[in-house]
Amino acid sequence: MMRRTLSAVALSVIATSALAQSSEITRHPIPDSDFPILQAVEIPADATVVYLSGTVPQVANEDAEEGSADRYGDTAMQTQTTLDSIRSKLESLDLTMGDVVKMQAYLVAPEDAEAMDFSGFMEGYTQYFGTEEQPNLPTRSVFEVAGLANPDWLVEIEVVAVRP
């Protein structure tokens, strides 16, 4: 009987240990790359997943004429104000940028440009992800789209976060 009780206790400890380990987010970097996104992320079944709606740029220059490209800024500025807004939304939900596990970014080519400004997007993005203060990276996709709801917007970003 004592032997059976010890076996049951040992199995219980192993199961509890496995459950505790499985409740952590596992982030898989891209092998042999320093590009600031993840290859994959594993989210445990008991985690709370939070989907944030698409977030768009905020007015960067109040003095700029309504309808002018200067009002919201270039792609880098629009990425920054959009990510600032996402950070505020996450904070209101007791989350941080470090809790973001997936991002989808939609970019419009600036006027008179042949394609989206990916380097401008990365300039804004790398201020929020993969930094010394916030080293966590999300999985991410970036899409070039023909337009967004406001013709002055060049950026819209959706994120998924996980509550630790």
Side-chain angles (χ1 to χ4, degrees):
M1 178 83 157
M2 177 81 155
R3 183 180 246 163
R4 210 179 284 170
T5 303
L6 286 175
S7 294
V9 168
L11 286 174
S12 176
V13 167
I14 290 169
T16 302
S17 175
L19 182 60
Q21 290 175 347
S22 70
S23 64
E24 291 187 25
I25 296 169
T26 304
R27 296 172 187 263
H28 300 279
I30 300 171
D32 304 317
S33 174
D34 62 355
F35 196 69
I37 64 171
L38 294 176
Q39 175 175 287
V41 64
E42 294 179 48
I43 300 170
D46 63 343
T48 300
V49 180
V50 179
Y51 297 85
L52 218 60
S53 287
T55 303
V56 295
Q58 305 302 300
V59 173
N61 182 354
E62 296 281 346
D63 297 329
E65 187 177 322
E66 187 91 28
S68 74
D70 292 338
R71 190 153 173 82
Y72 291 93
D74 61 8
T75 300
M77 176 57 69
Q78 289 196 25
T79 300
Q80 287 178 284
T81 64
T82 300
L83 290 173
D84 277 342
S85 185
I86 287 171
R87 181 176 50 203
S88 294
K89 290 176 183 181
L90 289 170
E91 287 172 355
S92 76
L93 299 169
D94 294 323
L95 294 164
T96 70
M97 294 298 256
D99 298 319
V100 173
V101 294
K102 179 169 178 43
M103 175 186 290
Q104 290 182 263
Y106 305 93
L107 304 180
V108 175
E111 193 173 325
D112 299 327
E114 291 184 26
M116 65 181 179
D117 179 10
F118 185 73
S119 63
F121 170 77
M122 288 300 293
E123 182 182 324
Y125 171 85
T126 56
Q127 293 180 39
Y128 297 83
F129 294 95
T131 66
E132 195 172 304
E133 303 82 41
Q134 199 299 95
N136 289 346
L137 300 171
T139 60
R140 190 190 75 201
S141 299
V142 177
F143 306 93
E144 182 173 10
V145 296
L148 297 167
N150 180 326
D152 296 329
W153 294 338
L154 303 174
V155 176
E156 183 168 348
I157 300 173
E158 297 175 349
V159 299
V160 176
V162 173
R163 188 173 306 285

